[in-house]
Amino acid sequence: DVKVTQSSRYLVKRTGEKVFLECVQDMDHENMFWYRQDPGLGLRLIYFSYDVKMKEKGDIPEGYSVSREKKERFSLILESASTNQTSMYLCASSLAGTVNTDTQYFGPGTRLTVL
Amino acid sequence: AQSVTQLGSHVSVSEGALVLLRCNYSSSVPPYLFWYVQYPNQGLQLLLKYTTGATLVKGINGFEAEFKKSETSFHLTKPSAHMSDAAEYFCAVSDSGGGADGLTFGKGTHLIIQP
């Protein structure tokens, strides 16, 4: 089975802190994604990557950056956390090739609270 | 640009009754369509997807969905609800045009099963 793991289930940070959310997948998937999930808004794509060192902006990239130095790991970075970044963050991965048809496999999520 | 509308943020059905969750999409090109389910405190998992071919798609746990191009719909159904079906359900669309732009999700429908 595909396994996508996220470094923390719950995280509490202070305004202005630099925050790293880590995601690791164990199935040699090419594509990786970061979403945020908010009540009443569904999931919104922040960034995705289809190869090592490659990244593409999603629908809401402002205030975030990403890093993909190794194929299995995709990090989401909040350079200076703000209270409006309090949310559930979901990482996903998919196999390769045509990004748009592949099943995305999701991690359990990190619930981030910024005080 | 593509978008997804899920009618009803909450749907309540009795155990054993028909489940119908509605999804309409907007896309300028033929879409690929997905239904994901999220159980409490878990990530999302794929229920079913439509890419090409047969418009009636069967998924896991007895769910199915039918792609109706004329109605721009992809409604999810299950003939008989079970208590274990209580969860959040997300409809998603991606662009078949070949662009690597990830998934666009609806806002989700919370399915409540009454005993």
Side-chain angles (χ1 to χ4, degrees):
Chain A
D1 278 353
V2 176
K3 192 154 188 182
V4 179
T5 57
Q6 296 184 228
S7 51
S8 304
R9 292 300 302 270
Y10 300 93
L11 207 53
V12 179
K13 296 293 181 180
R14 298 209 173 272
T15 302
E17 279 193 79
K18 189 169 186 175
V19 181
F20 292 87
L21 303 183
E22 306 285 344
C23 175
V24 177
Q25 49 90 6
D26 67 355
M27 284 302 291
D28 204 35
H29 283 177
E30 301 286 342
N31 308 318
M32 297 189 74
F33 307 82
W34 275 107
Y35 295 89
R36 66 177 281 176
Q37 181 180 11
D38 299 288
L41 296 179
L43 279 73
R44 293 177 291 168
L45 182 65
I46 305 172
Y47 268 97
F48 64 97
S49 167
Y50 50 87
D51 201 355
V52 175
K53 297 192 184 294
M54 303 298 289
K55 61 184 179 183
E56 295 284 343
K57 291 180 179 180
D59 299 319
I60 52 164
E62 297 78 18
Y64 303 94
S65 62
V66 290
S67 172
R68 192 160 181 209
E69 297 295 320
K70 293 185 177 181
K71 190 175 185 181
E72 68 271 17
R73 187 180 297 270
F74 192 35
S75 301
L76 180 69
I77 303 158
L78 287 65
E79 293 289 342
S80 178
S82 63
T83 55
N84 63 12
Q85 293 178 310
T86 291
S87 185
M88 172 71 86
Y89 289 88
L90 292 167
C91 175
S93 71
S94 66
L95 185 55
T98 306
V99 173
N100 301 338
T101 61
D102 288 342
T103 298
Q104 292 189 17
Y105 295 88
F106 284 80
T110 295
R111 186 168 294 282
L112 172 67
T113 302
V114 182
L115 301 176
Chain B
Q2 55 207 15
S3 65
V4 176
T5 302
Q6 291 184 239
L7 292 177
S9 59
H10 291 78
V11 170
S12 180
V13 302
S14 299
E15 192 174 17
L18 171 72
V19 175
L20 170 61
L21 304 183
R22 299 177 188 274
C23 172
N24 289 88
Y25 69 90
S26 170
S27 177
S28 58
V29 298
Y32 299 136
L33 296 158
F34 304 77
W35 275 100
Y36 281 84
V37 61
Q38 185 180 33
Y39 297 104
N41 297 315
Q42 294 186 27
L44 278 69
Q45 67 179 88
L46 182 72
L47 270 178
L48 48 80
K49 67 178 178 181
Y50 168 79
T51 54
T52 58
T55 56
L56 181 62
V57 180
K58 295 186 185 299
I60 62 171
N61 301 337
F63 284 93
E64 63 182 36
E66 187 171 11
F67 170 55
K68 292 188 176 181
K69 184 178 178 181
S70 61
E71 299 177 8
T72 61
S73 69
F74 191 56
H75 302 331
L76 182 71
T77 60
K78 182 175 180 177
S80 177
H82 192 273
M83 295 299 291
S84 61
D85 294 327
E88 188 91 18
Y89 291 80
F90 293 94
C91 182
V93 63
S94 70
D95 188 342
S96 68
D101 57 358
L103 292 171
T104 298
F105 284 85
K107 295 182 178 181
T109 297
H110 186 65
L111 178 62
I112 301 161
I113 311 296
Q114 305 279 8

PDB file of all heavy atoms in Angstrom, chain A residues 54-89:
ATOM      1  N   MET A  54      11.695  20.559  -8.848  1.00  0.00           N
ATOM      2  CA  MET A  54      10.693  21.264  -9.633  1.00  0.00           C
ATOM      3  C   MET A  54       9.525  21.628  -8.743  1.00  0.00           C
ATOM      4  O   MET A  54       9.149  20.852  -7.848  1.00  0.00           O
ATOM      5  CB  MET A  54      10.200  20.394 -10.797  1.00  0.00           C
ATOM      6  CG  MET A  54      11.284  19.918 -11.722  1.00  0.00           C
ATOM      7  SD  MET A  54      12.144  21.263 -12.560  1.00  0.00           S
ATOM      8  CE  MET A  54      10.872  21.810 -13.672  1.00  0.00           C
ATOM      9  N   LYS A  55       8.921  22.779  -8.981  1.00  0.00           N
ATOM     10  CA  LYS A  55       7.755  23.187  -8.221  1.00  0.00           C
ATOM     11  C   LYS A  55       6.872  24.061  -9.090  1.00  0.00           C
ATOM     12  O   LYS A  55       7.352  24.769  -9.968  1.00  0.00           O
ATOM     13  CB  LYS A  55       8.151  23.934  -6.940  1.00  0.00           C
ATOM     14  CG  LYS A  55       8.938  25.207  -7.192  1.00  0.00           C
ATOM     15  CD  LYS A  55       9.372  25.840  -5.895  1.00  0.00           C
ATOM     16  CE  LYS A  55      10.178  27.111  -6.148  1.00  0.00           C
ATOM     17  NZ  LYS A  55      10.681  27.719  -4.896  1.00  0.00           N
ATOM     18  N   GLU A  56       5.585  23.981  -8.809  1.00  0.00           N
ATOM     19  CA  GLU A  56       4.608  24.799  -9.519  1.00  0.00           C
ATOM     20  C   GLU A  56       3.648  25.406  -8.510  1.00  0.00           C
ATOM     21  O   GLU A  56       3.234  24.722  -7.562  1.00  0.00           O
ATOM     22  CB  GLU A  56       3.806  23.941 -10.509  1.00  0.00           C
ATOM     23  CG  GLU A  56       4.607  23.350 -11.649  1.00  0.00           C
ATOM     24  CD  GLU A  56       4.946  24.375 -12.716  1.00  0.00           C
ATOM     25  OE1 GLU A  56       4.289  25.437 -12.737  1.00  0.00           O
ATOM     26  OE2 GLU A  56       5.854  24.105 -13.518  1.00  0.00           O
ATOM     27  N   LYS A  57       3.275  26.649  -8.730  1.00  0.00           N
ATOM     28  CA  LYS A  57       2.301  27.286  -7.852  1.00  0.00           C
ATOM     29  C   LYS A  57       0.915  26.726  -8.107  1.00  0.00           C
ATOM     30  O   LYS A  57       0.538  26.469  -9.247  1.00  0.00           O
ATOM     31  CB  LYS A  57       2.298  28.794  -8.087  1.00  0.00           C
ATOM     32  CG  LYS A  57       3.566  29.478  -7.621  1.00  0.00           C
ATOM     33  CD  LYS A  57       3.502  30.977  -7.881  1.00  0.00           C
ATOM     34  CE  LYS A  57       4.766  31.664  -7.394  1.00  0.00           C
ATOM     35  NZ  LYS A  57       4.729  33.128  -7.648  1.00  0.00           N
ATOM     36  N   GLY A  58       0.183  26.569  -7.018  1.00  0.00           N
ATOM     37  CA  GLY A  58      -1.211  26.183  -7.117  1.00  0.00           C
ATOM     38  C   GLY A  58      -2.109  27.406  -7.076  1.00  0.00           C
ATOM     39  O   GLY A  58      -1.745  28.476  -7.569  1.00  0.00           O
ATOM     40  N   ASP A  59      -3.254  27.259  -6.445  1.00  0.00           N
ATOM     41  CA  ASP A  59      -4.229  28.345  -6.425  1.00  0.00           C
ATOM     42  C   ASP A  59      -3.949  29.401  -5.358  1.00  0.00           C
ATOM     43  O   ASP A  59      -4.330  30.562  -5.512  1.00  0.00           O
ATOM     44  CB  ASP A  59      -5.634  27.773  -6.205  1.00  0.00           C
ATOM     45  CG  ASP A  59      -6.038  26.832  -7.315  1.00  0.00           C
ATOM     46  OD1 ASP A  59      -5.741  27.162  -8.484  1.00  0.00           O
ATOM     47  OD2 ASP A  59      -6.618  25.778  -7.040  1.00  0.00           O
ATOM     48  N   ILE A  60      -3.281  29.009  -4.273  1.00  0.00           N
ATOM     49  CA  ILE A  60      -3.067  29.938  -3.147  1.00  0.00           C
ATOM     50  C   ILE A  60      -1.624  29.861  -2.637  1.00  0.00           C
ATOM     51  O   ILE A  60      -1.378  29.527  -1.486  1.00  0.00           O
ATOM     52  CB  ILE A  60      -4.069  29.680  -1.992  1.00  0.00           C
ATOM     53  CG1 ILE A  60      -4.052  28.202  -1.580  1.00  0.00           C
ATOM     54  CG2 ILE A  60      -5.484  30.099  -2.379  1.00  0.00           C
ATOM     55  CD1 ILE A  60      -4.704  27.955  -0.233  1.00  0.00           C
ATOM     56  N   PRO A  61      -0.629  30.203  -3.431  1.00  0.00           N
ATOM     57  CA  PRO A  61       0.767  30.058  -3.001  1.00  0.00           C
ATOM     58  C   PRO A  61       1.278  31.169  -2.090  1.00  0.00           C
ATOM     59  O   PRO A  61       2.338  31.011  -1.467  1.00  0.00           O
ATOM     60  CB  PRO A  61       1.522  30.078  -4.329  1.00  0.00           C
ATOM     61  CG  PRO A  61       0.674  30.966  -5.201  1.00  0.00           C
ATOM     62  CD  PRO A  61      -0.759  30.696  -4.791  1.00  0.00           C
ATOM     63  N   GLU A  62       0.556  32.259  -1.987  1.00  0.00           N
ATOM     64  CA  GLU A  62       1.059  33.414  -1.251  1.00  0.00           C
ATOM     65  C   GLU A  62       1.302  33.073   0.214  1.00  0.00           C
ATOM     66  O   GLU A  62       0.441  32.509   0.882  1.00  0.00           O
ATOM     67  CB  GLU A  62       0.064  34.583  -1.352  1.00  0.00           C
ATOM     68  CG  GLU A  62      -0.160  35.117  -2.760  1.00  0.00           C
ATOM     69  CD  GLU A  62      -1.098  34.237  -3.582  1.00  0.00           C
ATOM     70  OE1 GLU A  62      -1.842  33.416  -2.986  1.00  0.00           O
ATOM     71  OE2 GLU A  62      -1.087  34.364  -4.817  1.00  0.00           O
ATOM     72  N   GLY A  63       2.483  33.420   0.682  1.00  0.00           N
ATOM     73  CA  GLY A  63       2.846  33.176   2.069  1.00  0.00           C
ATOM     74  C   GLY A  63       3.485  31.814   2.313  1.00  0.00           C
ATOM     75  O   GLY A  63       3.852  31.494   3.442  1.00  0.00           O
ATOM     76  N   TYR A  64       3.630  31.037   1.235  1.00  0.00           N
ATOM     77  CA  TYR A  64       4.198  29.700   1.342  1.00  0.00           C
ATOM     78  C   TYR A  64       5.337  29.524   0.347  1.00  0.00           C
ATOM     79  O   TYR A  64       5.390  30.185  -0.680  1.00  0.00           O
ATOM     80  CB  TYR A  64       3.145  28.636   1.039  1.00  0.00           C
ATOM     81  CG  TYR A  64       1.917  28.684   1.887  1.00  0.00           C
ATOM     82  CD1 TYR A  64       0.781  29.376   1.463  1.00  0.00           C
ATOM     83  CD2 TYR A  64       1.868  28.035   3.124  1.00  0.00           C
ATOM     84  CE1 TYR A  64      -0.354  29.437   2.241  1.00  0.00           C
ATOM     85  CE2 TYR A  64       0.725  28.084   3.906  1.00  0.00           C
ATOM     86  CZ  TYR A  64      -0.379  28.784   3.450  1.00  0.00           C
ATOM     87  OH  TYR A  64      -1.520  28.830   4.229  1.00  0.00           O
ATOM     88  N   SER A  65       6.229  28.604   0.672  1.00  0.00           N
ATOM     89  CA  SER A  65       7.206  28.126  -0.296  1.00  0.00           C
ATOM     90  C   SER A  65       7.355  26.628  -0.094  1.00  0.00           C
ATOM     91  O   SER A  65       6.838  26.073   0.884  1.00  0.00           O
ATOM     92  CB  SER A  65       8.552  28.836  -0.153  1.00  0.00           C
ATOM     93  OG  SER A  65       9.103  28.585   1.131  1.00  0.00           O
ATOM     94  N   VAL A  66       8.048  25.966  -1.022  1.00  0.00           N
ATOM     95  CA  VAL A  66       8.206  24.518  -0.924  1.00  0.00           C
ATOM     96  C   VAL A  66       9.639  24.146  -1.282  1.00  0.00           C
ATOM     97  O   VAL A  66      10.381  24.925  -1.888  1.00  0.00           O
ATOM     98  CB  VAL A  66       7.230  23.754  -1.841  1.00  0.00           C
ATOM     99  CG1 VAL A  66       5.799  23.866  -1.347  1.00  0.00           C
ATOM    100  CG2 VAL A  66       7.360  24.219  -3.282  1.00  0.00           C
ATOM    101  N   SER A  67       9.981  22.937  -0.902  1.00  0.00           N
ATOM    102  CA  SER A  67      11.300  22.407  -1.224  1.00  0.00           C
ATOM    103  C   SER A  67      11.166  20.924  -1.530  1.00  0.00           C
ATOM    104  O   SER A  67      10.508  20.192  -0.786  1.00  0.00           O
ATOM    105  CB  SER A  67      12.256  22.604  -0.043  1.00  0.00           C
ATOM    106  OG  SER A  67      13.471  21.943  -0.276  1.00  0.00           O
ATOM    107  N   ARG A  68      11.808  20.499  -2.623  1.00  0.00           N
ATOM    108  CA  ARG A  68      11.847  19.077  -2.954  1.00  0.00           C
ATOM    109  C   ARG A  68      13.259  18.724  -3.404  1.00  0.00           C
ATOM    110  O   ARG A  68      13.589  18.768  -4.571  1.00  0.00           O
ATOM    111  CB  ARG A  68      10.826  18.722  -4.024  1.00  0.00           C
ATOM    112  CG  ARG A  68      10.669  17.209  -4.144  1.00  0.00           C
ATOM    113  CD  ARG A  68       9.398  16.827  -4.785  1.00  0.00           C
ATOM    114  NE  ARG A  68       9.252  15.389  -4.877  1.00  0.00           N
ATOM    115  CZ  ARG A  68       8.566  14.797  -5.831  1.00  0.00           C
ATOM    116  NH1 ARG A  68       7.989  15.516  -6.774  1.00  0.00           N
ATOM    117  NH2 ARG A  68       8.455  13.480  -5.843  1.00  0.00           N
ATOM    118  N   GLU A  69      14.058  18.351  -2.428  1.00  0.00           N
ATOM    119  CA  GLU A  69      15.451  17.988  -2.673  1.00  0.00           C
ATOM    120  C   GLU A  69      15.610  16.506  -2.977  1.00  0.00           C
ATOM    121  O   GLU A  69      16.553  16.088  -3.652  1.00  0.00           O
ATOM    122  CB  GLU A  69      16.317  18.368  -1.470  1.00  0.00           C
ATOM    123  CG  GLU A  69      16.352  19.874  -1.211  1.00  0.00           C
ATOM    124  CD  GLU A  69      17.013  20.619  -2.355  1.00  0.00           C
ATOM    125  OE1 GLU A  69      18.025  20.129  -2.897  1.00  0.00           O
ATOM    126  OE2 GLU A  69      16.500  21.698  -2.727  1.00  0.00           O
ATOM    127  N   LYS A  70      14.689  15.710  -2.466  1.00  0.00           N
ATOM    128  CA  LYS A  70      14.686  14.272  -2.734  1.00  0.00           C
ATOM    129  C   LYS A  70      13.304  13.863  -3.221  1.00  0.00           C
ATOM    130  O   LYS A  70      12.303  14.488  -2.883  1.00  0.00           O
ATOM    131  CB  LYS A  70      15.040  13.486  -1.463  1.00  0.00           C
ATOM    132  CG  LYS A  70      16.464  13.698  -0.992  1.00  0.00           C
ATOM    133  CD  LYS A  70      16.773  12.801   0.199  1.00  0.00           C
ATOM    134  CE  LYS A  70      18.223  12.969   0.631  1.00  0.00           C
ATOM    135  NZ  LYS A  70      18.568  12.087   1.767  1.00  0.00           N
ATOM    136  N   LYS A  71      13.272  12.805  -4.006  1.00  0.00           N
ATOM    137  CA  LYS A  71      12.028  12.397  -4.642  1.00  0.00           C
ATOM    138  C   LYS A  71      10.940  12.090  -3.619  1.00  0.00           C
ATOM    139  O   LYS A  71       9.769  12.383  -3.833  1.00  0.00           O
ATOM    140  CB  LYS A  71      12.300  11.161  -5.499  1.00  0.00           C
ATOM    141  CG  LYS A  71      11.170  10.756  -6.405  1.00  0.00           C
ATOM    142  CD  LYS A  71      11.609   9.595  -7.273  1.00  0.00           C
ATOM    143  CE  LYS A  71      10.558   9.234  -8.284  1.00  0.00           C
ATOM    144  NZ  LYS A  71      10.992   8.081  -9.121  1.00  0.00           N
ATOM    145  N   GLU A  72      11.299  11.501  -2.506  1.00  0.00           N
ATOM    146  CA  GLU A  72      10.296  11.032  -1.564  1.00  0.00           C
ATOM    147  C   GLU A  72       9.826  12.097  -0.577  1.00  0.00           C
ATOM    148  O   GLU A  72       8.885  11.874   0.158  1.00  0.00           O
ATOM    149  CB  GLU A  72      10.840   9.827  -0.782  1.00  0.00           C
ATOM    150  CG  GLU A  72      11.995  10.148   0.175  1.00  0.00           C
ATOM    151  CD  GLU A  72      13.350  10.046  -0.490  1.00  0.00           C
ATOM    152  OE1 GLU A  72      13.421  10.041  -1.749  1.00  0.00           O
ATOM    153  OE2 GLU A  72      14.361   9.964   0.252  1.00  0.00           O
ATOM    154  N   ARG A  73      10.460  13.250  -0.581  1.00  0.00           N
ATOM    155  CA  ARG A  73      10.178  14.239   0.461  1.00  0.00           C
ATOM    156  C   ARG A  73       9.788  15.581  -0.148  1.00  0.00           C
ATOM    157  O   ARG A  73      10.466  16.093  -1.052  1.00  0.00           O
ATOM    158  CB  ARG A  73      11.414  14.410   1.346  1.00  0.00           C
ATOM    159  CG  ARG A  73      11.205  15.281   2.570  1.00  0.00           C
ATOM    160  CD  ARG A  73      12.513  15.364   3.354  1.00  0.00           C
ATOM    161  NE  ARG A  73      12.918  14.062   3.843  1.00  0.00           N
ATOM    162  CZ  ARG A  73      12.568  13.552   5.015  1.00  0.00           C
ATOM    163  NH1 ARG A  73      11.791  14.248   5.830  1.00  0.00           N
ATOM    164  NH2 ARG A  73      12.993  12.350   5.371  1.00  0.00           N
ATOM    165  N   PHE A  74       8.711  16.152   0.378  1.00  0.00           N
ATOM    166  CA  PHE A  74       8.208  17.446  -0.115  1.00  0.00           C
ATOM    167  C   PHE A  74       7.865  18.284   1.099  1.00  0.00           C
ATOM    168  O   PHE A  74       7.001  17.904   1.898  1.00  0.00           O
ATOM    169  CB  PHE A  74       6.975  17.203  -0.993  1.00  0.00           C
ATOM    170  CG  PHE A  74       6.517  18.383  -1.801  1.00  0.00           C
ATOM    171  CD1 PHE A  74       7.412  19.283  -2.342  1.00  0.00           C
ATOM    172  CD2 PHE A  74       5.163  18.572  -2.070  1.00  0.00           C
ATOM    173  CE1 PHE A  74       6.995  20.351  -3.127  1.00  0.00           C
ATOM    174  CE2 PHE A  74       4.726  19.634  -2.849  1.00  0.00           C
ATOM    175  CZ  PHE A  74       5.638  20.527  -3.374  1.00  0.00           C
ATOM    176  N   SER A  75       8.541  19.408   1.239  1.00  0.00           N
ATOM    177  CA  SER A  75       8.380  20.241   2.425  1.00  0.00           C
ATOM    178  C   SER A  75       7.614  21.513   2.095  1.00  0.00           C
ATOM    179  O   SER A  75       7.852  22.130   1.049  1.00  0.00           O
ATOM    180  CB  SER A  75       9.748  20.619   2.996  1.00  0.00           C
ATOM    181  OG  SER A  75      10.484  19.453   3.322  1.00  0.00           O
ATOM    182  N   LEU A  76       6.737  21.887   2.985  1.00  0.00           N
ATOM    183  CA  LEU A  76       6.015  23.154   2.877  1.00  0.00           C
ATOM    184  C   LEU A  76       6.580  24.086   3.939  1.00  0.00           C
ATOM    185  O   LEU A  76       6.723  23.698   5.098  1.00  0.00           O
ATOM    186  CB  LEU A  76       4.522  22.943   3.112  1.00  0.00           C
ATOM    187  CG  LEU A  76       3.635  24.182   3.034  1.00  0.00           C
ATOM    188  CD1 LEU A  76       3.564  24.706   1.588  1.00  0.00           C
ATOM    189  CD2 LEU A  76       2.232  23.879   3.544  1.00  0.00           C
ATOM    190  N   ILE A  77       6.892  25.316   3.534  1.00  0.00           N
ATOM    191  CA  ILE A  77       7.544  26.267   4.428  1.00  0.00           C
ATOM    192  C   ILE A  77       6.684  27.518   4.553  1.00  0.00           C
ATOM    193  O   ILE A  77       6.266  28.090   3.530  1.00  0.00           O
ATOM    194  CB  ILE A  77       8.939  26.646   3.891  1.00  0.00           C
ATOM    195  CG1 ILE A  77       9.787  25.385   3.719  1.00  0.00           C
ATOM    196  CG2 ILE A  77       9.636  27.635   4.845  1.00  0.00           C
ATOM    197  CD1 ILE A  77      10.924  25.532   2.749  1.00  0.00           C
ATOM    198  N   LEU A  78       6.431  27.891   5.784  1.00  0.00           N
ATOM    199  CA  LEU A  78       5.791  29.171   6.062  1.00  0.00           C
ATOM    200  C   LEU A  78       6.904  30.078   6.579  1.00  0.00           C
ATOM    201  O   LEU A  78       7.400  29.881   7.689  1.00  0.00           O
ATOM    202  CB  LEU A  78       4.689  29.028   7.105  1.00  0.00           C
ATOM    203  CG  LEU A  78       3.381  28.339   6.691  1.00  0.00           C
ATOM    204  CD1 LEU A  78       3.586  26.867   6.341  1.00  0.00           C
ATOM    205  CD2 LEU A  78       2.334  28.495   7.782  1.00  0.00           C
ATOM    206  N   GLU A  79       7.326  31.022   5.767  1.00  0.00           N
ATOM    207  CA  GLU A  79       8.484  31.847   6.112  1.00  0.00           C
ATOM    208  C   GLU A  79       8.245  32.665   7.379  1.00  0.00           C
ATOM    209  O   GLU A  79       9.126  32.804   8.208  1.00  0.00           O
ATOM    210  CB  GLU A  79       8.825  32.790   4.953  1.00  0.00           C
ATOM    211  CG  GLU A  79       9.332  32.063   3.713  1.00  0.00           C
ATOM    212  CD  GLU A  79      10.736  31.483   3.880  1.00  0.00           C
ATOM    213  OE1 GLU A  79      11.471  31.924   4.809  1.00  0.00           O
ATOM    214  OE2 GLU A  79      11.105  30.591   3.105  1.00  0.00           O
ATOM    215  N   SER A  80       7.050  33.187   7.523  1.00  0.00           N
ATOM    216  CA  SER A  80       6.687  33.976   8.698  1.00  0.00           C
ATOM    217  C   SER A  80       5.213  33.728   8.964  1.00  0.00           C
ATOM    218  O   SER A  80       4.348  34.351   8.353  1.00  0.00           O
ATOM    219  CB  SER A  80       6.949  35.468   8.433  1.00  0.00           C
ATOM    220  OG  SER A  80       6.548  36.247   9.541  1.00  0.00           O
ATOM    221  N   ALA A  81       4.949  32.795   9.863  1.00  0.00           N
ATOM    222  CA  ALA A  81       3.580  32.327  10.060  1.00  0.00           C
ATOM    223  C   ALA A  81       2.660  33.463  10.508  1.00  0.00           C
ATOM    224  O   ALA A  81       3.039  34.321  11.311  1.00  0.00           O
ATOM    225  CB  ALA A  81       3.563  31.205  11.079  1.00  0.00           C
ATOM    226  N   SER A  82       1.440  33.409  10.002  1.00  0.00           N
ATOM    227  CA  SER A  82       0.422  34.376  10.420  1.00  0.00           C
ATOM    228  C   SER A  82      -0.831  33.623  10.844  1.00  0.00           C
ATOM    229  O   SER A  82      -1.021  32.443  10.498  1.00  0.00           O
ATOM    230  CB  SER A  82       0.102  35.331   9.273  1.00  0.00           C
ATOM    231  OG  SER A  82      -0.457  34.613   8.194  1.00  0.00           O
ATOM    232  N   THR A  83      -1.674  34.309  11.611  1.00  0.00           N
ATOM    233  CA  THR A  83      -2.858  33.636  12.158  1.00  0.00           C
ATOM    234  C   THR A  83      -3.789  33.125  11.060  1.00  0.00           C
ATOM    235  O   THR A  83      -4.492  32.125  11.254  1.00  0.00           O
ATOM    236  CB  THR A  83      -3.626  34.572  13.096  1.00  0.00           C
ATOM    237  OG1 THR A  83      -3.941  35.783  12.405  1.00  0.00           O
ATOM    238  CG2 THR A  83      -2.805  34.897  14.343  1.00  0.00           C
ATOM    239  N   ASN A  84      -3.797  33.777   9.900  1.00  0.00           N
ATOM    240  CA  ASN A  84      -4.683  33.307   8.828  1.00  0.00           C
ATOM    241  C   ASN A  84      -4.146  32.059   8.119  1.00  0.00           C
ATOM    242  O   ASN A  84      -4.764  31.564   7.166  1.00  0.00           O
ATOM    243  CB  ASN A  84      -4.990  34.421   7.825  1.00  0.00           C
ATOM    244  CG  ASN A  84      -3.763  34.917   7.094  1.00  0.00           C
ATOM    245  OD1 ASN A  84      -2.695  34.304   7.160  1.00  0.00           O
ATOM    246  ND2 ASN A  84      -3.886  36.024   6.390  1.00  0.00           N
ATOM    247  N   GLN A  85      -3.019  31.562   8.583  1.00  0.00           N
ATOM    248  CA  GLN A  85      -2.495  30.303   8.078  1.00  0.00           C
ATOM    249  C   GLN A  85      -2.830  29.135   9.007  1.00  0.00           C
ATOM    250  O   GLN A  85      -2.404  27.997   8.775  1.00  0.00           O
ATOM    251  CB  GLN A  85      -0.986  30.387   7.843  1.00  0.00           C
ATOM    252  CG  GLN A  85      -0.649  31.338   6.714  1.00  0.00           C
ATOM    253  CD  GLN A  85       0.839  31.487   6.481  1.00  0.00           C
ATOM    254  OE1 GLN A  85       1.609  31.739   7.406  1.00  0.00           O
ATOM    255  NE2 GLN A  85       1.267  31.333   5.221  1.00  0.00           N
ATOM    256  N   THR A  86      -3.600  29.414  10.040  1.00  0.00           N
ATOM    257  CA  THR A  86      -4.138  28.346  10.875  1.00  0.00           C
ATOM    258  C   THR A  86      -5.076  27.506  10.012  1.00  0.00           C
ATOM    259  O   THR A  86      -6.041  28.017   9.444  1.00  0.00           O
ATOM    260  CB  THR A  86      -4.894  28.924  12.074  1.00  0.00           C
ATOM    261  OG1 THR A  86      -3.966  29.550  12.959  1.00  0.00           O
ATOM    262  CG2 THR A  86      -5.656  27.835  12.820  1.00  0.00           C
ATOM    263  N   SER A  87      -4.771  26.215   9.906  1.00  0.00           N
ATOM    264  CA  SER A  87      -5.528  25.378   8.985  1.00  0.00           C
ATOM    265  C   SER A  87      -5.086  23.928   9.127  1.00  0.00           C
ATOM    266  O   SER A  87      -4.148  23.602   9.854  1.00  0.00           O
ATOM    267  CB  SER A  87      -5.289  25.843   7.543  1.00  0.00           C
ATOM    268  OG  SER A  87      -6.101  25.137   6.623  1.00  0.00           O
ATOM    269  N   MET A  88      -5.770  23.050   8.383  1.00  0.00           N
ATOM    270  CA  MET A  88      -5.333  21.666   8.205  1.00  0.00           C
ATOM    271  C   MET A  88      -4.565  21.612   6.896  1.00  0.00           C
ATOM    272  O   MET A  88      -5.059  22.058   5.864  1.00  0.00           O
ATOM    273  CB  MET A  88      -6.529  20.723   8.147  1.00  0.00           C
ATOM    274  CG  MET A  88      -6.176  19.299   7.764  1.00  0.00           C
ATOM    275  SD  MET A  88      -5.279  18.432   9.058  1.00  0.00           S
ATOM    276  CE  MET A  88      -6.670  17.831  10.003  1.00  0.00           C
ATOM    277  N   TYR A  89      -3.360  21.037   6.951  1.00  0.00           N
ATOM    278  CA  TYR A  89      -2.529  20.932   5.755  1.00  0.00           C
ATOM    279  C   TYR A  89      -2.410  19.463   5.359  1.00  0.00           C
ATOM    280  O   TYR A  89      -2.048  18.600   6.174  1.00  0.00           O
ATOM    281  CB  TYR A  89      -1.148  21.534   6.007  1.00  0.00           C
ATOM    282  CG  TYR A  89      -1.211  23.028   6.125  1.00  0.00           C
ATOM    283  CD1 TYR A  89      -1.445  23.636   7.354  1.00  0.00           C
ATOM    284  CD2 TYR A  89      -1.090  23.840   4.992  1.00  0.00           C
ATOM    285  CE1 TYR A  89      -1.550  25.008   7.465  1.00  0.00           C
ATOM    286  CE2 TYR A  89      -1.185  25.212   5.089  1.00  0.00           C
ATOM    287  CZ  TYR A  89      -1.419  25.794   6.327  1.00  0.00           C
ATOM    288  OH  TYR A  89      -1.529  27.160   6.425  1.00  0.00           O
TER     289      TYR A  89
END
